[in-house]
Amino acid sequence: MKMTAHEYLTANGMEPEKLDPSVYAPLMAAEMKEGLEKENCLPPMIPTFLRFAGDVPKNKPVVVIDAGGTNFRTGLLTFTDKGYTVDHLQKRKMPGIGTPATWEEFISLVADSIQPLLAEADDIGFCFSYNAEITPEIDGRVVKIDKEVIITGCEGHLVAADLIAELEKRGVHGKHAVILNDTAAVLLGGTASIDKTSYSSFIGQVSGTGTNTCCLVSDEAIAKIGLTGTRKQIVNCESGTCTTMPRGRFDKELDEHSAAPGEKFFEKLTAGVYQGELCRLILNAAADDGILSAYTAENVRKLVKPDSSVIDAWSIGENLAEFCDNDDDRTFLQEISKALFERSARCMCTNLLAISILTDSGKEAEHPVCVCAEGSLVQKSHCYHPMLEQFLDLYGAKKLGRHVKLVIGNESTLPGAGAAALLNK
């Protein structure tokens, strides 16, 4: 008799239930605490110096910029009693995609895009979704620009300072800019229009192509920067670098053949960009082991970089009728696909509960931790979101006494950038 999907996963150390959030959340919290106290730790727990307290000013226009992996967007955003509005919204391809750009060209394009808006606003919120060291002035010193974007000569430059200098050369004076990443923007944008008194703390979560979280931590808890006091700031966890969770055979194979072996173990367990490839590795091995029919095995071996949407459809039994020639194989593929989303959801549950432990929040059901979440997995996957909520209830509320509520957002980076600029003068 052929092995079931669960038996095959178990034989290779890939069974979802191995990733028990009630076991690993306290360990990850300890890992995060060390990252707050020391440099050169994983996760790095990067201070953003962004303050969170207070209400976002209403009816005060702010220029917003979102430099993402694909698109570059600008606009004039205003918070209102009904939410927010964005005027003069422009979207174009991110500079450096296809044709390399210099850093000077990039800054000039940014200035070109926002200069007409600065007659109406003095504050600029810039969501910069690349590797940058955030300074106490809430500027970003560029470490690396990647994601298939090539901007030469960027390393070491201060994003906001260079933009303000370019504007001043053009005769535009008295402007103020802050830099933040997409995860912090999701947190700030998601909470800009909600009643914050209903929650004990807040987390920003990105679960899509990549994986990351951010949270609120008191200055005195971030021993490595030498601040004192109980004022809170947003800390970018870079949780994709966590090392707590155990890995199975195919996790290790995926890592070995990745563009960055030995890095971002947690992201490779959770992120959408890796789920399709992980499924392909498992199915190819199952084909080699004779578990799949010759017809299904041939189709499996033809797979080239399937993305998470492919296996998300398989997880609910879609698109399998022609791919497999028998019910056993269809069941095997569906269960493998579903198990991968379950593993991802268990890992993210662990991450969110670790933050609640780290920040000592969510202990009362009446005041849960609010998680502002975005990304293709949490917004679009058939399995991921309901599984994550189920695990937060089972392992968080029932086993660890930590109450966490997901608030799913949509395109929060622009309001998040605006809130960052208005709250951090």
Side-chain angles (χ1 to χ4, degrees), residues 43-344:
M45 304 297 287
I46 303 167
T48 69
F49 301 97
L50 287 165
R51 301 299 175 183
F52 185 78
D55 295 324
V56 178
K58 304 285 179 60
N59 304 312
K60 182 177 176 62
V62 56
V63 172
V64 289
I65 305 166
D66 178 21
T70 304
N71 296 316
F72 176 81
R73 298 186 297 160
T74 57
L76 188 69
L77 186 142
T78 306
F79 289 100
T80 69
D81 290 333
K82 296 181 179 179
Y84 66 90
T85 61
V86 182
D87 297 317
H88 311 294
L89 179 64
Q90 290 190 346
K91 181 170 77 171
R92 65 186 74 186
K93 187 168 67 174
M94 180 69 189
I97 292 179
T99 303
T102 66
W103 177 251
E104 291 73 20
E105 289 170 339
F106 172 68
I107 290 296
S108 180
L109 181 143
V110 177
D112 289 343
S113 301
I114 66 171
Q115 188 171 346
L117 308 178
L118 291 170
E120 299 183 55
D122 292 328
D123 301 302
I124 304 166
F126 194 156
C127 181
F128 186 76
S129 300
Y130 299 94
N131 192 344
E133 174 192 352
I134 303 300
T135 70
E137 297 76 29
I138 320 181
D139 203 341
R141 189 181 303 279
V142 181
V143 176
K144 181 171 67 172
I145 292 178
D146 51 16
K147 304 180 184 178
E148 301 187 15
V149 175
I150 301 174
I151 297 180
T152 59
C154 62
E155 292 82 1
H157 279 271
L158 288 166
V159 182
D162 284 3
L163 175 58
I164 295 299
E166 175 64 25
L167 291 171
E168 290 181 343
K169 282 196 300 185
R170 301 177 181 206
V172 181
H173 301 286
K175 304 307 176 182
H176 154 258
V178 301
I179 304 299
L180 70 163
N181 76 347
D182 55 350
T183 312
V186 165
L187 172 56
L188 285 163
T191 57
S193 302
I194 67 172
D195 178 10
K196 295 178 184 176
T197 62
S198 299
Y199 302 97
S200 57
S201 193
F202 300 87
I203 297 172
Q205 172 196 342
V206 172
S207 288
T209 302
T211 296
N212 197 16
T213 49
C214 65
C215 59
L216 298 178
V217 179
S218 66
D219 286 345
E220 62 189 6
I222 315 171
K224 64 186 177 184
I225 60 174
L227 296 179
T228 59
T230 58
R231 288 185 67 194
K232 291 185 178 180
Q233 64 172 281
I234 298 174
V235 169
N236 169 21
C237 302
E238 286 296 331
S239 52
T241 65
C242 287
T243 62
T244 307
M245 308 302 287
R247 298 181 299 146
R249 168 189 167 185
F250 300 108
D251 297 313
K252 295 172 184 177
E253 284 188 17
L254 183 144
D255 176 57
E256 289 169 3
H257 296 98
S258 69
E263 298 180 12
K264 294 197 171 182
F265 290 152
F266 189 77
E267 186 162 80
K268 288 168 183 171
L269 284 165
T270 56
V273 70
Y274 295 112
Q275 298 306 303
E277 177 61 12
L278 197 54
C279 187
R280 190 189 71 81
L281 290 173
I282 295 170
L283 295 180
N284 269 276
D288 291 343
D289 291 337
I291 293 172
L292 304 175
S293 73
Y295 177 88
T296 305
E298 182 180 359
N299 286 333
V300 162
R301 293 188 177 107
K302 290 177 182 176
L303 286 172
V304 179
K305 294 185 177 179
D307 64 25
S308 61
S309 65
V310 172
I311 66 167
D312 187 58
W314 288 356
S315 72
I316 58 170
E318 292 182 353
N319 304 333
L320 289 169
E322 296 181 2
F323 197 86
C324 307
D325 63 350
N326 64 85
D327 288 342
D328 286 346
D329 286 358
R330 282 188 281 273
T331 299
F332 189 89
L333 265 67
Q334 180 177 354
E335 291 182 356
I336 292 291
S337 301
K338 190 173 182 179
L340 291 176
F341 287 105
E342 180 179 341
R343 294 172 88 244
S344 180

